[in-house]
Amino acid sequence: MGQAFGCVKVPESTVAIRESWGKFDNVLDPGCHFVPWCSGKSIAGFVNLRLQQLVVSCETNTKDNVSVTVVAAIQYRALHNKPYAAFYQLSNPKEQIKSYAYDAICARIQKLILDDVFEKTNEIVKDVKEEFKETMSMYGYEIVQILIVNIELDEYFERAMNESFAEKWKAESKHQNELAIARQRRAIADDLRDSIEAFSKNLPGISSSDFMEMVLATRYLDDTKEIAAQSKSVSISLGAGALKMVVKNE
């Protein structure tokens, strides 16, 4: 209604593009303006100067042929000193910036192996932003920030990678257990050797084999205590140089 009477209100953080007989005439800042339509003046449109954001999802393959989807948030705004370019150069700024970002990000992902994609996100963002800076400026837009918010792997590859990781974890866990058992056995053997040496010095008449039989008998008796706590019947027979234990669960 206001424009019908020649008055136009331009909102804050917005500029209006005024034309005269269909040709660019002037840029109107926020506020109220008189635009006499009867003299061929008209408002062709508005340019939003606020910070805006769009999300682009880039599906491509890495250098080592792994399918990934990189999700990036692009923050951009029209340049206050280039409203003419922002209004006339791009017919659909949001979609065209999105398309340009898609191509730029995918081009860099394709040059990297999967590990580097995760490790060099800052470099990817920096390179794309630098390329954007020069190109988008010609169209009257500024790329304020690019944020890689997620990197998704192909479903089948992710499942295979998780299975591979699980197998590696199991193998490593088994290896560590074997090392722990070996260290424990070595410690027992060292302790037993020291005990034999000390025992032989104190009792010269006792041989090493006699001492070993005594140690084994003592160990069997200690084990029997634990088994007896869980079993109703335990029979033990001692023979010359040997010990035999029979456990009966009733």
Side-chain angles (χ1 to χ4, degrees):
M1 179 67 70
Q3 196 169 160
F5 293 98
C7 292
V8 175
K9 180 182 178 181
V10 180
E12 190 65 40
S13 298
T14 306
V15 294
I17 303 298
R18 188 179 70 186
E19 293 182 343
S20 177
W21 304 109
K23 184 179 179 180
F24 172 74
D25 178 56
N26 198 9
V27 175
L28 305 181
D29 292 325
C32 189
H33 300 270
F34 179 65
V35 183
W37 60 269
C38 56
S39 61
K41 307 290 184 181
S42 63
I43 299 299
F46 298 88
V47 177
N48 185 357
L49 301 178
R50 294 184 180 89
L51 183 67
Q52 302 179 71
Q53 178 172 297
L54 60 84
V55 176
V56 56
S57 181
C58 310
E59 298 180 11
T60 187
N61 286 351
T62 61
K63 187 177 181 180
D64 48 352
N65 201 33
V66 178
S67 178
V68 296
T69 300
V70 178
V71 181
I74 314 294
Q75 296 177 344
Y76 68 99
R77 63 186 169 202
L79 293 170
H80 187 273
N81 61 341
K82 292 186 176 182
Y84 176 92
F87 184 78
Y88 288 104
Q89 294 293 331
L90 299 177
S91 59
N92 191 337
K94 184 174 182 178
E95 289 302 317
Q96 287 170 287
I97 291 174
K98 187 175 182 179
S99 176
Y100 194 94
Y102 181 96
D103 293 339
I105 293 174
C106 285
R108 280 154 183 80
I109 297 298
Q110 292 166 3
K111 297 178 181 179
L112 300 173
I113 62 174
L114 181 62
D115 289 344
D116 288 344
V117 172
F118 285 95
E119 295 175 2
K120 297 182 179 181
T121 53
N122 291 336
E123 294 181 23
I124 295 172
V125 166
K126 182 180 178 181
D127 290 345
V128 173
K129 189 176 178 181
E130 284 297 318
E131 184 176 335
F132 257 122
K133 182 178 180 180
E134 183 176 351
T135 305
M136 289 295 105
S137 179
M138 295 188 302
Y139 297 119
Y141 282 90
E142 173 191 14
I143 303 302
V144 179
Q145 187 60 274
I146 301 175
L147 304 171
I148 293 181
V149 297
N150 194 18
I151 300 176
E152 302 171 356
L153 299 178
D154 176 80
E155 179 182 354
Y156 298 104
F157 180 82
E158 185 174 13
R159 186 184 302 120
M161 189 175 70
N162 289 338
E163 291 175 355
S164 175
F165 177 80
E167 290 298 323
K168 288 182 180 179
W169 183 87
K170 289 179 181 177
E172 179 64 21
S173 178
K174 181 180 178 182
H175 177 63
Q176 292 299 327
N177 287 337
E178 290 174 348
L179 290 178
I181 292 172
R183 287 193 294 267
Q184 185 180 30
R185 289 175 177 172
R186 185 164 56 249
I188 292 173
D190 292 341
D191 183 65
L192 186 59
R193 184 188 64 246
D194 294 340
S195 297
I196 292 174
E197 291 176 356
F199 193 85
S200 298
K201 289 179 181 179
N202 295 327
L203 297 173
I206 302 297
S207 66
S208 298
S209 60
D210 293 335
F211 178 76
M212 285 299 298
E213 288 184 6
M214 293 174 61
V215 171
L216 290 174
T218 302
R219 184 170 180 180
Y220 276 125
L221 290 173
D222 290 339
D223 293 341
T224 302
K225 293 179 181 179
E226 296 182 6
I227 297 173
Q230 302 175 2
S231 307
K232 294 183 178 180
S233 176
V234 178
S235 63
I236 303 174
S237 60
L238 294 171
L243 181 147
K244 181 179 181 181
M245 179 172 59
V246 179
V247 178
K248 297 180 180 180
N249 292 314
E250 297 178 354

